[in-house]
């Protein structure tokens, strides 16, 4: 009994693309996303290299297509718990976590959040901004509904009172649902290396040392500062910014010896964005190899140097020290090209951390019976001939869940489409 | 003129700060409200968001709007999205118009905010004028044939053909050479697994041969393409023989070529032991090498990453050298080359250096590079090369290395070491040049036949570099493999499967609706002169009983007939004379 | 002295540009995505093909006061509809003559080919056209 239905696990750009391609050809798709909204990492970005398109602008139509498509059923705020069966006939148990809000009634007006007395750091803003206990993670959330974070909710009931649509339901319970599908696509994306593991860089101790994802949120118009780049310590505009590449990457100490593929490119993008906002700010990128490969990127780097005056220093800095009075930072480094030990002061430092497997990937792999590679990413069936198959028949993988083989957004999209082709091949052939 | 009284709703987008940071959006909203036939106007932060779309749908109902204008980004991005919203609220989506106040206003006038705001007002006024004349249209449906044409029999073409066949579609696979396999035929091993290319190629070739859904045509090229999505008629040429095939979709997998350096570049073509990586691969494969070379020097980025001279710090050099070095740099700029990074050459050089070390462990292998662009998990492959004692030397790329030859034929490479700033002289036996993948010359011809645009670097252009990497501007035509840019084998395979997915989706649905943009003949005015029939390249006009008629399924909406008709008897749906003239007038005057 | 300067406002021409959907309109979009700046004097009207442009559109534009008209399309051989751009090119010669007879400097009308990948070229074209029209001064029909 072959099911012509498909489950896609992960609602980032790769999962969204796979879902849309599958839905367009008539397969019913269940798109499972563990956070309250689909969108993934691409929704957190400000602009995408090398064209500098606004990320949300090009992502939003695809997100909306997913929510409207008659063949896509969004299972948001849900997680996969168990998988039985095999190709053509999987039974997947999905845990539907309680939002305590009825998605069919909620209009996303936000009055509940205005009155909620509890304020906590916002995960979507990488903890830089705040949200309420009843919240929408991003303004363009899909589905467009609120969610209550029960861990921080004090159960005051104000939201219930204020909601005009009667959408708040504090009595919701988690429930398990079984779905019978013919194929599964994994698109669980990535997390970011915890830079505090490198104590000499001061991340977590020095306020003005941030990660690139935090920077994206600061630069993004819908972020915690409305797109104004300001120093976390006191809110002044930074005038001397440094990027440090390969934080935790290509590093034998942490087992993340691979290159994350996209950091060189996005750091140059961020540098150009910063220079566009604040032409008087100097930006220096500390790199080992400038991996801006592929069409358009070398030209982009050239432009960054000649038109925007971004400085490139070939060095992997040793230590960062904070001036306790000014909260400025001093980097000690070896300029390998000039052959000297130098130090320089900056008022903001952006670390470009390694991209690591998504939290929970290991557990999911176990549930699916799929193998992971030595870095914890999903192992491809054959790196050359079956790049989007996992080691389990009928289960495919796309996007950064595959690891840094995925270069950047177009690669995630191509892989998403490629898994749709594989699913079609498998489901059609067994008829 | 439309039958009903127009009630136009205008939605002006801030697009975060993309528009709002330059154009005074509230001022434009205020202005829009003063325009004739505008019943409603508002601003949105992101009109394309769920909130924006809901507002459009709700206000259509609430305000009784029968035309909608969104002033935001280019229609080429979100027009389909906004059209859906209109349809969902009960408005025919041809009563929707956009004003491009981002790509063609705020983004190009970032330092002229006041003037940009005035321009935005003008663009909104033009859109309102056009909207007043818009009429509802019905879209014709096209049938999509379930056969596909794959152009190119390299690894991408083979993968696409197989995927399509497995999905249940018939495929014509054509290859201009006498055998299938493409560039893989010329390579011996593939990184990072160091598998033999035969291991990849042979199973694919076998599967293609045994598939009853794939018809392979060798020594065949495309000589003409007619028709449109779902219904292409492609003329295939094999020598003098021609044959027409009818297909629903086309996948272009014509691959890329390896750049051959011009004679004299690094003495290529002059000194016999200066060769390309492909030639080295050939040597290693055939076992032609009688005596192991003592040293091989590889030079990266030959003919690639050529572009503007990068700012260089000459501070570390003796002053007497500066003038000489500057002259060298200026000469280098004149060399022929491609501006992009070809992505795979670093890995390819490393692969070949490992192969050399395996065959000739005593040979010293040095790689001169600017940046080592090894990415993903290939980092370990790079480590492997270093462990095998391959030497990586970062040189100053702006000063191109010089190759000299002794009378005995021994070569030497003179370059500048970036880390010490010193000139280094490397005597060696072979110099191997790593060159980029470049577009085939035939690609340009193919692009013309298919009406697919070419990017500024010569490769076929995708519909959207981020969001639609395997689609082209032409519906039904997709790109796979290196035809759209340098790729290695796994990337070519993924893109080929993606193209097969996109083509498969189209064909699986069996039909699609097309835009209602066709010509309409006013039979009362038409005098049957036949000029439209003569000039229409699609054969969409025929004259019968003294009047011209349009075959809607063949008409592509170019409008040439409407412009040429001596009696102005032909009108174009959605691009009528009145609609265009209303925009012209609105651009120049404030009167309606 | 000051007042005289204030009254002598710099002439800002209004230039209409017809861009074809497939090539030049996309090229104009690319200029935007790449953030190449150019003067604000141009108003773009999108058509599917430059071959759509009836000469009366252009003459009406001048009649209604346009200081310059720019027609852009795909490069010869690349027209999305095969030869629409050739047909426009043919009309171009006739248009120049008609303008001359109407007392409008033929240099106010310009025809250029821009592909979808030529964002920088588009921006440069607008800068150049704006400058040239500025030098020609206002449309003589406006002051007549």
């Amino acid at each position: 009994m072959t099911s012509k239905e498909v489950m896609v696990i992960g609602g980032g750009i790769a999962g969204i693309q796979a879902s849309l391609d599958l839905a367009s050809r008539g397969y019913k798709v269940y798109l499972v996303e563990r956070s309250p909204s689909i969108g993934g990492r691409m929704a957190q970005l400000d602009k995408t290299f090398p064209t500098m398109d606004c990320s949300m602008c090009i992502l939003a139509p695809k997100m909306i297509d997913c929510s409207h498509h008659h063949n896509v059923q969004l299972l948001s705020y849900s997680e996969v718990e168990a998988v039985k069966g095999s190709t053509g006939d999987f039974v997947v148990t999905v845990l539907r976590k309680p939002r305590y809000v009825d998605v069919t009634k909620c209009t996303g007006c936000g009055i509940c959040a205005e009155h909620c007395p509890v304020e906590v750091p916002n995960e979507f803003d990488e903890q830089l901004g705040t949200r309420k206990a009843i919240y929408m993670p991003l303004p363009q959330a899909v589905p467009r509904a609120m969610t209550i974070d029960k861990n921080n909710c004090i159960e005051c009931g104000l939201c219930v009172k204020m909601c005009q649509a009667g959408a708040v339901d504090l009595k919701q319970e988690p429930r398990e649902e079984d779905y019978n599908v013919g194929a599964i696509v994994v698109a669980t994306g990535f997390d970011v290396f915890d830079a505090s593991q490198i104590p000499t860089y001061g991340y977590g101790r020095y306020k003005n040392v941030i990660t690139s994802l935090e920077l994206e949120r600061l630069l993004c118009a819908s972020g915690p500062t409305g797109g104004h780049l300001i120093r976390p310590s006191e809110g002044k505009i930074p005038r001397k910014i440094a990027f440090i590449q390969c934080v935790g990457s290509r590093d034998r100490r942490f087992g993340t010896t691979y290159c994350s593929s996209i950091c060189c490119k996005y750091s140059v993008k961020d540098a150009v964005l910063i220079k566009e906002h604040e032409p008087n700010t100097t930006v220096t990128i500390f790199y080992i190899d400038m991996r801006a490969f592929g069409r358009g990127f070398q030209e982009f780097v050239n432009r960054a140097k000649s038109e925007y005056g971004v400085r490139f220093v070939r060095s992997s800095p040793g230590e960062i020290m904070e001036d306790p009075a000014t909260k400025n930072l001093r980097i000690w480094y070896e300029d390998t090209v000039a052959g000297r030990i130098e130090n320089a002061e900056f008022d903001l430092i952006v670390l470009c951390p390694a991209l690591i497997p998504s939290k929970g990937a290991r557990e999911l792999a176990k549930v699916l019976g799929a193998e992971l590679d030595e870095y914890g990413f999903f192992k491809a069936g054959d790196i050359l001939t079956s790049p989007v198959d996992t080691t389990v028949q009928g289960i495919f993988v796309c996007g950064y869940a595959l690891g840094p083989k995925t270069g950047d957004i177009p690669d995630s999209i191509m892989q998403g489409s490629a898994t749709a082709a594989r699913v079609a091949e498998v489901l059609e052939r067994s008829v | 003129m439309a039958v009903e009284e127009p009630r136009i709703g205008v939605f002006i987008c801030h697009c975060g700060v993309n528009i709002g940071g330059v154009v005074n959006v509230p001022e434009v909203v205020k202005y829009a409200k003063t325009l004739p036939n505008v019943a409603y106007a508002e601003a949105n932060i992101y009109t394309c968001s769920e909130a924006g779309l809901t507002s459009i749908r709700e206000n259509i109902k609430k305000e009784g709007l029968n035309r909608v204008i969104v002033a935001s980004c280019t229609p080429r991005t979100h027009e389909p999205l906004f059209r859906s919203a209109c349809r969902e609220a009960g408005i025919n989506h041809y009563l929707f118009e956009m004003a491009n106040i981002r790509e063609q206003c705020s983004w190009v006038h970032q330092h002229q905010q006041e003037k940009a705001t005035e321009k935005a007002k003008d663009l909104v006024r033009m859109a309102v004028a056009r909207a007043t004349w818009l009429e509802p249209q019905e879209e014709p449906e096209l049938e999509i044939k379930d056969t596909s044409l794959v152009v190119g029999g390299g690894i991408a073409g083979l993968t696409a053909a197989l995927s399509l066949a497995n999905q249940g579609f018939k495929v014509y696979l054509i290859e201009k050479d006498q055998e299938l396999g493409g560039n893989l035929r010329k390579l011996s091993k593939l990184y990072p697994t160091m598998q033999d290319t035969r291991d990849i190629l042979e199973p694919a070739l076998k599967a293609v041969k045994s598939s009853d859904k794939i018809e392979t045509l060798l020594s065949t090229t495309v000589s003409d393409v007619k028709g449109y999505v779902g219904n292409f008629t492609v003329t295939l040429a094999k020598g003098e023989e021609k044959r027409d095939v009818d297909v629903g979709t086309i996948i272009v997998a014509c691959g890329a070529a390896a750049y051959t350096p011009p004679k004299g570049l690094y003495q290529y073509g002059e000194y016999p032991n200066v060769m390309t990586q492909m030639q080295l691969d050939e040597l290693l494969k055939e076992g032609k090498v009688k005596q192991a070379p003592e040293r091989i020097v590889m030079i990266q980025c030959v003919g690639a990453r050529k572009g503007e001279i990068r700012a260089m710090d000459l501070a570390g050099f003796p002053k007497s050298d500066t003038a000489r070095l500057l002259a060298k740099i200026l000469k280098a700029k004149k060399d022929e080359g491609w501006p992009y990074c070809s992505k795979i050459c670093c890995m390819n050089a490393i692969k070949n250096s490992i192969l050399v070390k395996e065959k000739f462990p005593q040979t010293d292998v040095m790689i001169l590079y600017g940046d080592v662009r090894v990415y993903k998990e290939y980092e370990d492959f790079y480590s492997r090369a270093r462990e095998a004692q391959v030497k990586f030397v970062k040189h100053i790329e702006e000063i191109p290395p010089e190759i000299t030859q002794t009378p005995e034929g021994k070569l030497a490479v003179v370059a500048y070491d970036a880390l010490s700033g010193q000139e280094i002289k490397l005597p060696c036996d072979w110099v191997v040049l790593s060159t980029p993948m470049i577009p085939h010359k035939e690609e340009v011809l193919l692009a013309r036949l298919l009406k697919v645009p070419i990017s500024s670097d010569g490769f076929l252009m995708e519909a959207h570099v981020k969001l639609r990497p395997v689609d082209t501007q032409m519906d039904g035509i997709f790109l796979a493999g290196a035809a759209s840019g340098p790729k290695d084998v796994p990337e070519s395979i993924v893109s080929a499967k993606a193209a097969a997915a996109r083509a498969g989706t189209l064909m699986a649905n069996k039909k699609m609706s097309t835009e209602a943009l066709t010509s309409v003949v006013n039979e009362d005015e038409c005098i049957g002169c036949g000029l439209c029939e003569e000039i229409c390249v699609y054969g969409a006009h025929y004259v019968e009983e003294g009047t011209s008629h349009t075959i809607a399924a063949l008409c592509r909406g170019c409008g040439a007939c409407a412009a040429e008709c001596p009696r102005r008897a032909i009108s174009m749906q959605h691009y009528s004379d009145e609609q265009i003239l209303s925009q012209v007038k609105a651009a120049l005057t404030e009167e309606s | 002295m000051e007042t005289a300067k204030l009254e002598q406002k710099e002439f800002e021409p209004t230039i209409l540009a017809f861009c074809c959907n497939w090539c030049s309109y996309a090229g104009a979009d690319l200029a935007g995505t790449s953030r190449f700046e150019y003067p604000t004097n141009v108003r773009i009207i999108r058509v599917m093909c430059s071959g759509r442009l009836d000469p009366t559109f252009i003459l009406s534009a001048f009649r209604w006061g346009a200081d310059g008209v720019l027609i852009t399309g795909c490069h010869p051989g690349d027209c999305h509809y095969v030869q629409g751009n050739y047909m426009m090119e043919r009309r171009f010669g006739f248009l120049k003559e008609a303008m001359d007879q109407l007392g409008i400097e033929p240099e106010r009308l310009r025809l250029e080919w821009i592909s979808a990948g030529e964002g920088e070229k588009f921006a440069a074209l607008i800068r150049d056209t704006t400058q040239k029209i500025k030098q020609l001064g206002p449309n003589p029909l406006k002051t007549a």
Side-chain angles (χ1 to χ4, degrees), chain B residues 34-84:
Chain B
T34 67
L35 294 170
N37 299 314
V38 171
Y40 178 78
E42 77 172 24
N44 313 110
I45 303 289
Y46 290 106
T47 314
C48 58
S49 67
E50 194 62 64
L53 295 173
T54 303
S55 181
I56 291 177
R57 286 190 295 260
E58 281 177 1
N59 281 298
I60 287 175
K61 297 210 175 91
K62 211 166 97 188
E63 306 286 334
L65 305 174
N66 53 32
R67 276 147 184 70
V68 171
I69 290 173
V70 170
S72 63
C73 49
T74 173
R76 294 165 65 87
T77 310
H78 288 340
E79 190 166 53
L81 182 70
F82 295 127
R83 280 180 161 185
S84 280

Side-chain angles (χ1 to χ4, degrees), chain C:
Chain C
M1 206 34 93
E2 287 282 87
T3 342
K5 275 204 185 136
L6 282 168
E7 278 171 7
Q8 190 192 6
K9 260 202 310 194
E10 202 188 325
F11 161 58
E12 288 294 349
T14 304
I15 300 168
L16 229 57
F18 291 96
C19 293
C20 75
N21 182 57
W22 305 97
C23 288
S24 45
Y25 191 91
D29 279 345
L30 183 57
T33 333
S34 317
R35 313 292 198 283
F36 292 125
E37 279 215 48
Y38 54 79
T40 55
N41 307 67
V42 166
R43 303 288 176 270
I44 294 175
I45 292 177
R46 177 167 75 140
V47 287
M48 293 312 280
C49 178
S50 56
R52 172 74 188 93
L53 297 171
D54 190 319
T56 53
F57 298 165
I58 287 112
L59 295 171
S60 301
F62 284 117
R63 189 158 44 95
W64 288 326
D67 299 300
V69 173
L70 178 60
I71 302 171
T72 57
C74 306
H75 286 267
D78 293 339
C79 176
H80 189 83
Y81 304 101
V82 186
Q83 55 187 27
N85 53 356
Y86 287 130
M87 289 194 244
M88 181 58 235
E89 203 176 25
R90 258 189 1 218
R91 284 173 219 147
F92 188 59
F94 149 76
L95 270 166
K96 292 269 210 186
E97 273 184 45
M99 285 166 70
D100 202 23
Q101 287 186 17
L102 290 167
I104 313 169
E105 299 94 318
E107 300 78 51
R108 292 185 184 274
L109 177 65
R110 192 169 173 177
L111 176 64
E112 292 287 344
W113 311 124
I114 307 266
S115 82
E118 292 180 309
E120 192 158 13
K121 186 172 172 193
F122 183 84
L125 173 64
I126 302 300
R127 285 184 220 119
D128 188 57
T129 307
T130 307
Q131 215 213 7
K132 290 201 163 85
I133 303 290
K134 264 195 186 169
Q135 283 169 351
L136 282 173
N139 178 341
L141 294 184
K142 267 200 301 214
T143 48

